[in-house]
Amino acid sequence: MSERRVRVRFAPSPTGPLHMGGVRTALYNYLFAKKHGGDFLLRVEDTDQTRYVKGAEDYILEALKWCGINPDEGVGAGGDCGPYRQSERKEAGIYKEYAFKLVEDGFAYYAFDTSEDLTNMREMAEKAKMPNWQYNNITRTSMKNSVSLSEDEVTKRLDAGDPFVIRLKMPRNEEVRFHDEIRGWVIVNTNNMDDKVIYKADGMPTYHLANIIDDHLMNISHVIRGEEWLPSAPLHVLLYRYLGWEDTMPKFAHLSLILKPNGNGKLSKRDGDKGGFPVFPLEWNAPDGAVSSGYKENGYFPEAFINMIAFLGWNPGTAQEIFSLEELTEAFTLERVGKSGAKFDPDKAKWFNQQYLRNKSNTELAQLLMPIIAEEKLDVCIEYVAEVCELIKERATFITDILEEGRYFFEDVSAYDEKTLKKKWKEDTPTIMQELLVELKSIEEFTTENIETKFQAYLEKNEYGFGKVGPGFRLLVTGKGMGPSMFHICSVLGKEYVLDRMEKGLVKIEALKAEA
RNA sequence: GGCCCGUUCGUCUAGGGGUUAGGACACAUGGUUUUCAUCCAUGAAACAGGGGUUCGAUUCCCCUACGGGCUACCA
C-alpha cells in the first residue's frame, strides 16, 4: 500500500471545558501528525443540541492555543473539508443521504418506537429479571420498526410523518475484528452489540454515524481517541464496511484514561477541587456561575503543562524527562503509549513546572512577572525584578512564588516572623543591631562583597558567631526567618532602604516586644 | 449483570525467558548552606494470586482476583 498522508483529528463536543484527558488526546494527535508531516484537524462534534454549553467551543479553542497545539485545519483554522462543525454539516445535508442509503442497502432500518416505549420496555425487562434490555437482533422483531412491521404499515407511518430513528441492523453471530495500534487485535461478536441509533428523530446523526462519515470525507488516516470509544469501535468498523469504505478505513488507537491521584476512577472536576489542583488548562466560568481553576491561572507554564501531560501514558524510553513541544514531536510514537490508565500525580506536575522555571533566564522571568507586579501597583523596574528573580528562583515552583517569597523586595516589612522573633531576638539584639547599623552606614559602595566583609569584620571584632547577629539582621530587613543570602538581599535592596528598614524595624520590634 | 480493556516500588514508568528488576516524583538519612531552598550522596520501596509451557518465568498461555471503560434518539 502506498503511503497515505497522515491526517488526524481531535473532535471534542462543546459540552463543557476541555479537561486534561482531552488535552492529552489532542496533544497525541498533534504530535503524531507533526511527526509524520501530516495534518491535525479540529472538528467540533455538536450533534447533541441538548448538551450544548455556551462558551465551551471558545474555551476549547483558547485552551489549545495556550498549549501551543494549533490545528492545521478545522474550526478556527479553515480548510477544504469544511464545514468542521457537525451541526453545520447536518444543515448542509451531508449525513442524511448516507443514513438512508444504509436503509436502502438493508444494513439499517427505520424504528418508530418512542423514548417512552423504550423506557417502558427496559422497565418491564428489569422486573422480569432481565436487567439489561437491548434493542438488538433478537428484540427488534417485537418492536415497531421496518423489520417487524409490514411494508404498507411502514410506508403509511413514513408518509404520515411519524417520527422515526434509523438503527443499524446488527448481524447475527458475526465476529468483528480490528487492529488497535496500541492494544493489538480486538475481537467482538455482534451478538453482544445492539442495534445502535445512527440517525435521530430530530434529523441529526448520532456520534457513530457522523464520526464515520466525517472521518471518511475528511480523509482521516488515524483515529487516536480515548478508551471510552473502544467498545463502540467494532460498530464503527461495521459502518465503514456497510458504507463501502473499508479499504480506506483509518487505523485506530485507543488511549487509556487519566485516573484520580488517589482512589479509583477517572479524573473528574471534583478531584481537582478536593486535591487542590486544576483539571482544566484554563479557568472555566460555567454559565451557571461556577468557576473551575485552570493550570494557566495557577501559574503553570504551558510548556510544562504539555510536558507533564505527555508523560501521562507515554514515555520516550530514555531517561530524558524535559521535552519541548518540538522534542516531543520528534520522539513521539504510538508504540510507546502505555495500555494502562495513569493516575495523575499533582506533585510531579509541580516538579515539571519547577524545572521549566529554573531553566528560564532572569529577564524572561521578570518579563512574566511584570504584569502581575503592575496589577499590584508596585513601582519597580524590570532590571530590579530580574535581580530579585535571580535570588528567589531556586526556591520557587511558580512564577508567583517569586513575588510571594520575595515580598520584602517590593514592600516595606509589615510583619515579623513570630517564631524567629521569639527564638532569636534576645535582650542584647537591639544593641547589636544598632552597632551593625553604624557599620553598614560606613560602607561606601554597597555591594554584596563589601557588605559581607564589613559584616564579618564586625563579627570578628566582637567575637560573635553568625547566629548571634544574622537572624536579627534578616528579621529586621525581611521580616522572615529564612531566605537567600542577606548580603545579596541588601545589595539588591540598596543602602538607603536597608538602613531605613533597620531603623524603623528596631522601633517596631521593640514596641511588639513591650506589648508581649 | 453482560461485553471490552488493563495489572512492575506509594505514584509515573523502563525492561524482558536466566538482570543485584533500572530511572523519575514523593519519602527518609547524611553532606553543603548562618537559615530556608537548591545541589550532592545514601536509603527504604515493586513484577496481584494460582496453575501451566520451559532446564529456567516478572516476561509466553490459561484461570481467579482486583481496577477501569462501555452498556442513551450523549459524546
Side-chain angles (χ1 to χ4, degrees):
Chain A
M1 192 171 90
S2 63
E3 280 294 298
R4 165 137 76 140
R5 179 172 180 84
V6 168
R7 280 171 67 81
V8 299
R9 97 280 123 115
F10 178 56
S13 289
T15 55
L18 187 62
H19 93 316
M20 280 164 66
V23 174
R24 191 188 59 170
T25 304
L27 175 65
Y28 286 4
N29 270 286
Y30 172 88
L31 294 176
F32 186 77
K34 296 296 119 187
K35 163 101 179 186
H36 298 284
D39 308 314
F40 171 64
L41 332 212
L42 178 67
R43 185 173 72 220
V44 172
E45 309 221 330
D46 55 350
T47 52
D48 185 3
Q49 62 277 76
T50 63
R51 292 216 306 161
Y52 180 82
V53 174
K54 202 167 174 293
E57 185 186 302
D58 286 341
Y59 178 96
I60 292 166
L61 257 32
E62 274 175 48
L64 291 178
K65 193 175 168 192
W66 180 67
C67 293
I69 304 173
N70 298 121
D72 301 299
E73 203 177 309
V75 174
D80 299 334
C81 300
Y84 293 92
R85 257 179 221 101
Q86 289 185 331
S87 56
E88 290 170 16
R89 297 175 71 74
K90 180 253 177 185
E91 288 307 314
I94 290 174
Y95 306 111
K96 197 172 178 180
E97 58 166 310
Y98 296 106
F100 284 89
K101 185 173 182 296
L102 283 169
V103 177
E104 267 168 48
D105 294 346
F107 295 122
Y109 59 89
Y110 302 111
F112 303 99
D113 320 271
T114 63
S115 302
E116 293 76 57
D117 292 342
L118 296 175
T119 314
N120 289 341
M121 202 64 211
R122 290 197 177 96
E123 274 170 12
M124 269 167 60
E126 194 154 347
K127 274 179 198 150
K129 289 186 181 161
M130 305 265 300
N132 203 278
W133 186 85
Q134 286 196 316
Y135 206 122
N136 60 24
N137 50 32
I138 294 179
T139 60
R140 69 169 160 249
T141 52
S142 53
M143 302 300 289
K144 282 175 273 174
N145 53 56
S146 59
V147 175
S148 64
L149 266 23
S150 72
E151 212 168 301
D152 283 354
E153 173 76 13
V154 172
T155 328
K156 212 175 85 190
R157 280 173 179 267
L158 253 21
D159 289 345
D162 279 10
F164 66 90
V165 300
I166 294 175
R167 287 180 180 269
L168 198 71
K169 197 193 282 173
M170 197 52 68
R172 187 82 194 134
N173 200 32
E174 242 179 61
E175 288 212 323
V176 182
R177 62 175 64 210
F178 70 95
H179 184 80
D180 187 279
E181 298 295 299
I182 294 171
R183 289 152 203 277
W185 286 100
V186 177
I187 305 157
V188 182
N189 190 293
T190 52
N191 288 355
N192 295 317
M193 296 160 69
D194 61 344
D195 288 358
K196 275 273 178 296
V197 170
I198 55 175
Y199 194 77
K200 299 187 260 188
D202 64 359
M204 277 280 193
T206 60
Y207 169 86
H208 305 294
L209 216 224
N211 194 262
I212 269 61
I213 292 171
D214 288 344
D215 283 348
H216 176 258
L217 261 22
M218 294 179 184
N219 236 302
I220 297 301
S221 64
H222 298 259
V223 169
I224 304 168
R225 76 228 298 193
E227 194 182 31
E228 68 269 28
W229 296 111
L230 194 51
S232 47
L235 167 72
H236 302 335
V237 172
L238 247 24
L239 243 10
Y240 278 106
R241 186 174 301 164
Y242 296 158
L243 254 5
W245 299 334
E246 208 174 4
D247 54 336
T248 56
M249 184 172 76
K251 292 186 169 177
F252 292 102
H254 292 273
L255 269 23
S256 58
L257 270 16
I258 297 177
L259 277 14
K260 300 173 190 295
N262 30 36
N264 304 318
K266 66 175 174 184
L267 189 68
S268 71
K269 178 181 177 302
R270 295 197 55 184
D271 299 308
D273 300 339
K274 251 183 359 203
F277 59 86
V279 295
F280 300 113
L282 311 178
E283 188 175 275
W284 165 250
N285 297 289
D288 68 3
V291 179
S292 306
S293 69
Y295 278 88
K296 182 187 177 192
E297 290 74 12
N298 274 262
Y300 282 86
F301 301 117
E303 314 93 277
F305 175 65
I306 282 303
N307 197 156
M308 179 271 288
I309 286 277
F311 268 70
L312 244 33
W314 172 87
N315 77 83
T318 66
Q320 187 183 348
E321 288 194 274
I322 302 302
F323 280 81
S324 66
L325 195 55
E326 290 70 34
E327 290 172 310
L328 283 173
T329 302
E330 181 64 29
F332 186 80
T333 60
L334 282 176
E335 293 78 66
R336 296 207 65 89
V337 173
K339 297 192 221 315
S340 51
K343 283 189 182 181
F344 170 65
D345 181 0
D347 279 330
K348 190 89 185 205
K350 284 185 184 169
W351 178 81
F352 271 110
N353 206 256
Q354 193 186 33
Q355 296 302 307
Y356 276 84
L357 184 124
R358 209 176 285 173
N359 287 333
K360 288 193 188 294
S361 72
N362 298 329
T363 348
E364 254 179 297
L365 292 174
Q367 271 161 1
L368 291 166
L369 214 41
M370 285 313 279
I372 307 170
I373 287 173
E375 227 168 82
E376 293 207 25
K377 301 199 171 32
L378 302 169
D379 184 28
V380 282
C381 67
I382 192 158
E383 289 77 16
Y384 179 77
V385 178
E387 283 185 78
V388 174
C389 288
E390 168 65 23
L391 289 190
I392 310 285
K393 190 172 165 176
E394 288 300 307
R395 60 207 79 211
T397 299
F398 301 110
I399 197 101
T400 45
D401 290 347
I402 298 176
L403 191 56
E404 291 315 312
E405 274 292 310
R407 203 89 221 168
Y408 49 85
F409 281 112
F410 307 104
E411 285 173 356
D412 277 327
V413 178
S414 52
Y416 296 91
D417 182 68
E418 282 183 39
K419 228 168 139 187
T420 315
L421 193 59
K422 214 166 158 186
K423 282 179 76 176
K424 307 283 181 178
W425 197 267
K426 303 274 165 53
E427 282 285 294
D428 55 352
T429 309
T431 321
I432 295 172
M433 289 303 122
Q434 291 288 4
E435 289 172 11
L436 183 62
L437 190 51
V438 175
E439 297 289 336
L440 295 176
K441 238 179 221 172
S442 72
I443 298 173
E444 294 273 319
E445 253 187 293
F446 214 62
T447 62
T448 309
E449 296 72 33
N450 290 352
I451 300 165
E452 183 163 10
T453 313
K454 195 59 117 184
F455 187 88
Q456 295 298 352
Y458 171 73
L459 287 189
E460 233 167 89
K461 191 169 72 187
N462 296 283
E463 294 183 343
Y464 288 152
F466 195 100
K468 187 140 181 90
V469 189
F473 183 31
R474 180 183 296 282
L475 196 64
L476 231 35
V477 180
T478 72
K480 295 187 171 232
M482 52 206 172
S485 152
M486 274 313 292
F487 313 122
H488 273 116
I489 293 176
C490 289
S491 70
V492 171
L493 237 25
K495 189 173 174 180
E496 312 291 305
Y497 224 155
V498 172
L499 299 181
D500 183 57
R501 277 205 191 164
M502 288 180 78
E503 277 163 12
K504 283 183 182 157
L506 274 164
V507 178
K508 279 195 219 165
I509 290 180
E510 283 313 296
L512 277 172
K513 279 279 174 188
E515 230 173 84

